[in-house]
Amino acid sequence: MTVGAPGQARRIEGGPIAAEIRSAVAEDVATFTTTHGRAPGLAVVIIGRDAPSTVYLEQILRGCAKVGIEARFAEIDGEATEASVTTRIRELNEDDTVDGVIVQMPLPPTIRLRAVIDAIDPAKDIDGIHPLNAGLLRLGYDGFLPATAHAAVEILRRSGVEIEGRDAVVIGRSAVVGMPAAFLLVKEDATVTVCHSRTTDLPDKVRRADIVVVAAGKPGLITGAMLKPGAVVVDVGINLVDGKLVGDVDFESASQVASAITPVPGGVGPLTNALLLTHLIRAAERQAATATDTRAGVR
Ligand code: NAD
């Protein structure tokens, strides 16, 4: 599908795509478990169980259990300081039953993000936050991708949206969502403009785009009036408004102009979690291969 006809936009549902991915992961996990005599393992470093993100992390754990991945919370012993968190991460780096490590975000203000991401073994960094993986993506090599950015582009690919040669606008320049999504779109041969909070005349930039990826965390930022007729819209935003989950795009007006659009909830979100599982199985397979090479004396 290229840029399609405007009108009532096609809803791009993430759920069915995520289900497809999860069933492929379940097969890979079963093969890995038979071959290596243990299930692939994920550790989620938890800094406070009462943080709002705990609900999301519990969802990841449940998703892992369904496909046979051994996933658990790794608590911090005592007070959560930079030293205690990085020590816990290093213990997990050394643990052969742990193939992937993710850390609960956001961190408390007393703990530097840089210290935490530097501590993660890049081979276990399944959410692509370590500088090595960020660098690999920047250079166009295969590393671990941040799962949300991966989902924003994978949802386009798996829905048959043509990316090559299209003009894309990414709104948001964060290290975990906006920038990696932009690099991935460039890798897919789109021509990409990155917009952010200091961008002047955002509507003008958005109106030129065939593909609009919105990751700003601002409900209602993008409306139908700003879109090129027939554009494809990926809404990454997650906002709670009056107790309701909404994205960054005004779905009602945008669906009148776009040719396809991802809803919130039910679009990028389900795909993010499913793709994280594919990253984990890849990490497990790579580490198992490295361990075999080491035993066989391959240097
Ligand atoms: P962030 O706050 O780190 O970055 C927001 C970006 O948006 C910044 O680069 C900022 O410059 C830009 N921005 C803010 N206001 C803007 C404006 N008025 N015009 C243009 N640009 C503007 O947030 P993040 O971590 O990148 O997350 C972005 C959104 O994605 C949030 O809503 C977050 O909840 C959501 N998110 C979704 C998932 C998922 O699985 N769907 C996962 C992670 C984050």
Side-chain angles (χ1 to χ4, degrees):
M1 178 183 141
T2 57
V3 175
Q8 199 54 48
R10 171 164 72 105
R11 262 172 88 96
I12 306 180
E13 302 283 353
I17 306 174
E20 241 175 63
I21 295 172
R22 272 198 303 272
S23 90
V25 169
E27 283 178 25
D28 292 345
V29 168
T31 308
F32 180 94
T33 307
T34 311
T35 311
H36 300 285
R38 68 167 182 91
L42 169 71
V44 181
V45 177
I46 280 281
I47 290 155
R49 268 187 189 260
D50 44 1
S53 55
T54 310
V55 177
Y56 164 69
L57 296 172
E58 279 166 349
Q59 236 176 46
I60 293 180
L61 256 54
R62 278 198 299 275
C64 285
K66 277 191 197 147
V67 296
I69 291 168
E70 197 74 53
R72 60 184 163 90
F73 282 154
E75 314 264 0
I76 306 296
D77 298 328
E79 195 196 340
T81 61
E82 194 170 293
S84 65
V85 173
T86 54
T87 301
R88 191 77 185 94
I89 292 171
R90 292 201 175 91
E91 285 165 8
L92 297 167
N93 289 345
E94 295 302 315
D95 185 337
D96 289 341
T97 66
V98 172
D99 301 289
V101 174
I102 56 178
V103 181
Q104 184 178 36
M105 297 285 171
L107 295 168
T110 48
I111 302 177
R112 288 171 305 146
L113 176 65
R114 183 68 204 265
V116 169
I117 63 179
D118 281 350
I120 301 175
D121 178 349
K124 298 191 179 189
D125 171 36
I126 61 162
D127 206 13
I129 61 172
H130 188 279
L132 179 80
N133 285 312
L136 290 171
L137 169 61
R138 174 66 187 82
L139 296 173
Y141 296 129
D142 275 346
F144 288 112
L145 303 171
T148 304
H150 189 184
V153 178
E154 193 65 20
I155 203 165
L156 291 170
R157 285 165 26 94
R158 293 202 180 227
S159 327
V161 173
E162 195 179 301
I163 303 175
E164 183 184 332
R166 302 283 129 196
D167 289 326
V169 158
V170 176
I171 301 159
R173 59 174 162 180
S174 74
V176 286
V177 190
M179 289 312 295
F183 288 133
L184 281 171
L185 287 167
V186 170
K187 200 173 174 191
E188 295 286 331
D189 297 318
T191 303
V192 182
T193 304
V194 178
C195 299
H196 47 78
S197 53
R198 305 288 169 90
T199 294
T200 52
D201 204 352
L202 182 69
D204 177 59
K205 269 98 186 158
V206 173
R207 203 164 293 118
R208 294 160 193 246
D210 304 311
I211 295 169
V212 183
V213 175
V214 196
K218 296 277 180 285
L221 179 67
I222 301 302
T223 62
M226 297 164 80
L227 296 170
K228 179 190 221 176
V232 177
V233 181
V234 178
D235 191 352
V236 183
I238 300 179
N239 311 286
L240 204 56
V241 176
D242 300 332
K244 229 181 113 199
L245 222 51
V246 298
D248 290 346
V249 179
D250 175 45
F251 191 86
E252 278 308 307
S253 65
S255 349
Q256 302 303 316
V257 183
S259 59
I261 182 168
T262 64
V264 177
V268 174
L271 217 64
T272 302
N273 293 355
L275 286 172
L276 197 64
L277 305 181
T278 67
H279 298 183
L280 182 78
I281 184 75
R282 192 161 140 240
E285 281 163 357
R286 281 188 179 180
Q287 283 163 79
T290 310
T292 309
D293 284 354
T294 310
R295 276 197 299 276
V298 176
R299 298 262 178 254

